[in-house]
Amino acid sequence: MDTLKISANIIKCVHSELNLEEKEWIKAACDATYRSYSPYSGFRVGAAMVLEGSIVLTGSNQENAAYPSGMCAERTVLFYANSLHPDLRVEALIVAAADGDGFTDNPVSPCGSCRQVLLECEVRFGYPVRVYLYGKSGIYIISSARDLLPLAFDSF
Ligand code: THU
């Protein structure tokens, strides 16, 4: 019997270490939290997506009285991006979240369904999606969505 060890490199940095472009992406994700519709959880999530050609789109979580009908910010922006620009590869996803006390101290990480959808996006375009997770106390940067989903279910 063997034990498989699966690891991922996650860069942790602070806002001042980002370049100008990255700071703009973070701002876009933070701004998107204000467009969240989250009356049930009170948890506002914003996501920005960078497509080739430096196109930046945003989305936010959209909730519903029938809870499962809501949608996370990450998939909202990803499906929006892919339906607007099906031929443009996705280069980065940036996520920020806020509750009643403002932006979270620690980064918020995408749920399992969002990871699966992101992974398919990488496979579809044959290009890694860099993920930035914003928190006031630090920012995580993951170089590929695949690192967020070990032993992922891939195409069959
Ligand atoms: N949510 C997101 O939009 N993205 C995440 O990565 C985690 C959770 C949303 C779903 C729901 O509207 C609210 O946050 C509370 O779970």
Side-chain angles (χ1 to χ4, degrees):
M1 196 183 291
D2 266 344
T3 302
L4 293 178
K5 277 205 171 165
I6 301 175
S7 62
N9 289 325
I10 298 178
I11 296 169
K12 187 178 178 201
C13 66
V14 290
H15 191 261
S16 57
E17 292 177 289
L18 299 176
N19 66 34
L20 260 180
E21 197 177 36
E22 292 171 317
K23 284 178 185 165
E24 279 172 18
W25 299 343
I26 298 279
K27 183 175 182 321
C30 288
D31 287 349
T33 63
Y34 296 105
R35 296 187 287 276
S36 156
Y37 176 67
S38 42
Y40 304 101
S41 69
F43 194 62
R44 296 179 280 114
V45 185
M49 183 146 273
V50 184
L51 309 184
E52 66 178 298
S54 302
I55 295 173
V56 180
L57 300 173
T58 61
S60 54
N61 57 328
Q62 301 294 316
E63 298 183 349
N64 193 274
Y67 285 13
S69 302
M71 185 52 67
C72 293
E74 295 91 327
R75 273 175 292 160
T76 299
V77 72
L78 179 60
F79 291 146
Y80 175 47
N82 287 171
S83 46
L84 263 184
H85 300 291
D87 300 322
L88 295 187
R89 70 170 182 239
V90 174
E91 296 183 342
L93 168 75
I94 303 91
V95 184
D99 55 22
D101 298 325
F103 290 106
T104 56
D105 273 328
N106 296 314
V108 165
S109 203
C111 76
S113 296
C114 289
R115 292 174 196 216
Q116 181 71 34
V117 169
L118 255 186
L119 179 84
E120 176 125 357
C121 181
E122 285 195 346
V123 173
R124 170 181 177 175
F125 292 106
Y127 196 83
V129 177
R130 207 153 16 114
V131 179
Y132 293 75
L133 305 176
Y134 174 76
K136 279 190 297 186
S137 65
I139 295 161
Y140 292 166
I141 306 174
I142 301 109
S143 58
S144 162
R146 196 171 279 281
D147 284 342
L148 288 174
L149 198 61
L151 299 181
F153 176 68
D154 216 325
S155 49
F156 50 88

